[in-house]
Amino acid sequence: MAAARKLWLSGALLCACMASPGQAAVLPTDLEPKVGANYQPSGPEERDIWQSLDRVEEAIRTSPQRLIAPELDAYTRRVVERLIGRPAPDLRIYLMCDAMPNAAMLPSGMMIVNTGLLARVRNEAQLAAVLGHEAGHYFRRHSLDLYRDTRRNSALASAAASPINAFSDNYGGWNFINHAIRMSGFRFSRDLESEADAYGLMLMARAGYPPRAASEIWGQLVDERRASAAARHKHYLDGTSSALSTHPPTENRTINLADTANYLAGKADLPGSDDRGEWEAVIRPYQAMLLHEQVYLNDPGASLYLLETLAKDGWTGLLRFNEGEVYRLRNANGDDLKAATAYAAAIALADAPPEAWRAHGYALLKAGNKSEANKVLNRYLAMKPDAPDAAMIRFTLTQPVSADETLMVGSDMTVNAGSSWKRLPASVSQTRWEDVWTRNGPQLDRTTLVRGLPDGKAIIFRETNSDQQVPVFHADMTAQDLMSMVEVSYRVNGVTVFNFDSVEPVDFLGGLGVRLRYNYTSGIGIAKRGSCVMSVVDKKLYAMKLESVAGHYFDTVAPEFDQLIASARLTE
């Protein structure tokens, strides 16, 4: 799924958020809405489209992937209502936890805004630029016309009529929603994209926002993709330059956005305000979560660009901490020092999050400065005594300076599975060090055994076309590094909500290991839980991981998984 999501990002996302005024075939002041207040569907086909989207909306409304943030919901609504110049009680806005900077307004009046977009905008005007463009597609009936055409030529109707089927696989539900979002931008013609952009710029000017914010956010998104490509030693490919693309070429679009903004600014009595202060106040409580989502996608070039862009307003402890996280997760030559430097800079600032102290403490441990590391880690525990990894850190503080991890030797790990566990055939997404078992079927539970992953090998199958770097195991990883490796392995495979419940020391394979318990969202409507034990022996990773649907199935299979752990042995 990750590769598909990236294809969508490179092609549709940047273009769906905004498009150029094209060849200025329509001036911004010439456009009138084709959808009025309290609009209701007309005709059987349009009513059927709304009914299908109602079922999708119900799944979104109750999804664990939805961000429940009343203040941010209300703020986003105020921006939209300011743009359209009236209250919009019929508008439903859903903030979704997804690091991809997507937004869409669907024909039924439902607006989806991803947290990835919120992470990237620097002021209210930039947010208004994106939402104004999406409103343009809605009020000019582009979305409705596209849905109508698509339904006549695809199986969307049957998929929407059976939402349970759409949400039955790992990530099918969010794939379905992303398909709906893609339909709002990926296949609009150049003329319609230009018209939506013109409409959005018109709304911005009327609402008192500086229209130049549209070219600013567009430029930031394009530059971010360039930075991502450069960090991977790849050439940035601008798909909009193709003669087959439905989107205006990037260069033309950027020029047209800026020229149209200047035209509107020349007509305005006042220059307009970007309302940066209001935006910073409302987004501040969520910024740590937003940045964490982006950084743990493990796209270092994009993440560093985003942090540097936000730091134009001044470096903060939170930004410096996340800079360190990018380097730690990338783990290239010299990144340990870069990460340690960023963590030290973070804790010197008043707003450093508790996690910055933890990261600085582990960096000191790696550098061999245990006495100072103990002080810093104790500071973290004082700031966050109920942290999920508090037990693991307290155990770490009691350990000698250099614990001997080479007392055990082994070349393979065996378990006594019994007849209740069924081994699944190897798939193309498995590494050769993995076996996968199930108790009740792979859609309900999966247990993965990692039998001696060597130092320097990827923990999951590498997708060659992905912007994201898959996590690589290193024998000197701390408990913090192992936690991050597990979380990244989920996020690069499409999981958008991931939280640790606990991180604790555990006896595993006759020695010391670490046990992680966590919860995550797989697909738009499926909450899952996971449990993983890991140990490093002879510079190899041995691990056992359970993934299961939360609730009855996890509670039933977890004790049997614990029995598997107890039966695990190393053999020479």
Side-chain angles (χ1 to χ4, degrees):
M1 174 186 173
R5 287 155 56 93
K6 284 299 182 179
L7 176 62
W8 150 224
L9 174 65
S10 61
L13 162 59
L14 300 181
C15 300
C17 287
M18 285 167 286
S20 81
Q23 280 62 50
V26 181
L27 292 176
T29 54
D30 292 343
L31 301 173
E32 295 294 336
K34 297 181 179 180
V35 175
N38 302 315
Y39 177 80
Q40 293 297 315
S42 60
E45 186 177 37
E46 187 175 347
R47 284 194 292 269
D48 190 39
I49 290 174
W50 277 46
Q51 289 173 0
S52 296
L53 290 174
D54 283 346
R55 288 188 283 270
V56 173
E57 184 172 353
E58 178 58 28
I60 291 175
R61 184 182 297 113
T62 59
S63 169
Q65 195 169 344
R66 182 183 174 191
L67 175 64
I68 305 300
E71 302 88 351
L72 199 50
D73 275 337
Y75 180 87
T76 306
R77 174 177 293 278
R78 288 198 299 271
V79 172
V80 175
E81 292 182 341
R82 176 176 167 182
L83 282 167
I84 65 177
R86 61 171 174 81
D90 52 329
L91 173 67
R92 289 91 62 212
I93 298 174
Y94 299 100
L95 307 179
M96 303 301 291
C97 293
D98 192 315
M100 298 300 129
N102 293 5
M105 189 165 182
L106 305 185
S108 59
M110 167 179 60
M111 178 172 279
I112 297 170
V113 180
N114 277 5
T115 49
L117 175 63
L118 303 179
R120 286 163 171 81
V121 299
R122 294 180 60 202
N123 53 58
E124 184 176 308
Q126 289 189 356
L127 178 64
V130 178
L131 302 186
H133 173 85
E134 296 306 326
H137 280 310
Y138 171 75
F139 284 108
R140 297 294 293 174
R141 292 176 62 93
H142 301 164
S143 302
L144 177 60
D145 292 341
L146 182 59
Y147 264 77
R148 181 182 289 114
D149 293 342
T150 302
R151 283 171 60 91
R152 292 169 180 169
N153 298 287
S154 74
L156 175 65
S158 60
S162 303
I164 294 177
N165 293 333
F167 307 141
S168 62
D169 65 349
N170 280 352
Y171 310 113
W174 191 236
N175 270 335
F176 179 72
I177 300 305
N178 264 339
H179 176 68
I181 297 176
R182 282 198 297 273
M183 290 176 61
S184 295
F186 189 61
R187 293 168 55 192
F188 289 127
S189 69
R190 290 188 178 189
D191 286 344
L192 294 185
E193 284 293 337
S194 296
E195 185 176 290
D197 230 356
Y199 194 91
L201 289 169
M202 177 190 71
L203 293 180
M204 291 182 70
R206 290 180 180 176
Y209 292 114
R212 69 175 184 278
S215 59
E216 291 172 354
I217 182 64
W218 165 248
Q220 289 166 205
L221 291 170
V222 172
D223 287 346
E224 179 183 317
R225 303 320 311 153
R226 294 185 190 277
S228 174
R232 292 176 284 114
H233 307 291
K234 302 290 186 181
H235 293 293
Y236 170 71
L237 298 178
D238 181 8
T240 65
S241 297
S242 167
L244 299 178
S245 173
T246 59
H247 302 293
T250 296
E251 184 177 357
N252 292 351
R253 183 181 191 187
T254 303
I255 293 172
N256 289 333
L257 281 168
D259 286 350
T260 305
N262 290 335
Y263 166 75
L264 289 170
K267 294 178 59 179
D269 296 329
L270 297 173
S273 171
D274 63 13
D275 294 328
R276 183 187 302 270
E278 291 186 46
W279 169 252
E280 290 176 345
V282 75
I283 204 64
R284 189 175 295 117
Y286 306 97
Q287 194 170 35
M289 178 269 290
L290 297 174
L291 292 176
H292 182 89
E293 281 185 347
Q294 170 60 40
V295 168
Y296 273 70
L297 283 180
N298 218 22
D299 185 351
S303 295
L304 288 173
Y305 174 85
L306 173 61
L307 294 171
E308 289 164 2
T309 298
L310 295 175
K312 290 179 179 179
D313 301 320
W315 281 97
T316 64
L318 179 63
L319 293 178
R320 284 296 186 196
F321 162 65
N322 279 281
E323 180 188 33
E325 291 289 89
V326 174
Y327 290 127
R328 182 174 66 85
L329 295 178
R330 187 174 69 176
N331 203 19
N333 289 336
D335 277 350
D336 274 356
L337 178 59
K338 291 178 180 178
T341 302
Y343 295 143
I347 65 168
L349 297 169
D351 67 331
E355 290 77 11
W357 291 88
R358 176 187 64 189
H360 183 51
Y362 274 115
L364 290 169
L365 279 179
K366 280 189 172 182
N369 192 346
K370 182 170 175 62
S371 61
E372 189 64 25
N374 283 2
K375 296 177 184 177
V376 173
L377 290 174
N378 275 308
R379 173 70 179 271
Y380 167 68
L381 291 175
M383 298 172 74
K384 205 168 182 178
D386 297 325
D389 59 346
M392 189 71 222
I393 289 179
R394 292 189 180 99
F395 177 82
T396 299
L397 293 173
T398 67
Q399 298 306 293
V401 173
S402 179
D404 187 356
E405 296 182 353
T406 63
L407 297 178
M408 299 181 294
V409 294
S411 60
D412 194 14
M413 178 176 66
T414 62
V415 297
N416 182 15
S419 59
S420 61
W421 291 91
K422 297 174 280 294
R423 184 173 179 174
L424 298 175
S427 69
V428 295
S429 62
Q430 285 180 224
T431 70
R432 64 188 181 91
W433 295 276
E434 288 181 325
D435 291 332
V436 181
W437 300 69
T438 185
R439 177 70 175 79
N440 299 297
Q443 298 297 330
L444 299 176
D445 65 75
R446 296 167 63 93
T447 292
T448 302
L449 278 61
V450 179
R451 302 174 181 271
L453 181 72
D455 182 27
K457 294 295 183 180
I459 188 66
I460 59 175
F461 179 75
R462 183 178 297 275
E463 296 191 35
T464 57
N465 293 326
S466 176
D467 293 351
Q468 300 155 329
Q469 296 182 10
V470 298
V472 174
F473 164 69
H474 292 283
D476 64 347
M477 281 182 157
T478 64
Q480 179 194 27
D481 295 329
L482 293 173
M483 288 171 60
S484 298
M485 181 179 67
V486 169
E487 180 174 353
V488 170
S489 72
Y490 279 89
R491 290 192 180 272
V492 300
N493 274 319
V495 167
T496 58
V497 178
F498 185 100
N499 297 289
F500 283 106
D501 298 318
S502 64
V503 182
E504 301 169 324
V506 66
D507 290 329
F508 181 49
L509 299 175
L512 174 64
V514 59
R515 180 160 195 163
L516 315 176
R517 292 183 174 89
Y518 48 92
N519 63 84
Y520 62 102
T521 298
S522 174
I524 197 165
I526 303 176
K528 289 192 173 183
R529 293 182 62 190
S531 179
C532 180
V533 294
M534 296 180 286
S535 184
V536 179
V537 180
D538 274 348
K539 297 185 177 181
K540 296 179 182 178
L541 177 68
Y542 294 86
M544 297 176 64
K545 177 180 66 175
L546 168 67
E547 303 163 299
S548 182
V549 176
H552 167 76
Y553 287 105
F554 182 87
D555 295 341
T556 299
V557 77
E560 298 187 34
F561 176 67
D562 289 343
Q563 293 177 12
L564 275 185
I565 294 173
S567 74
R569 298 289 185 271
L570 283 178
T571 60
E572 295 187 25

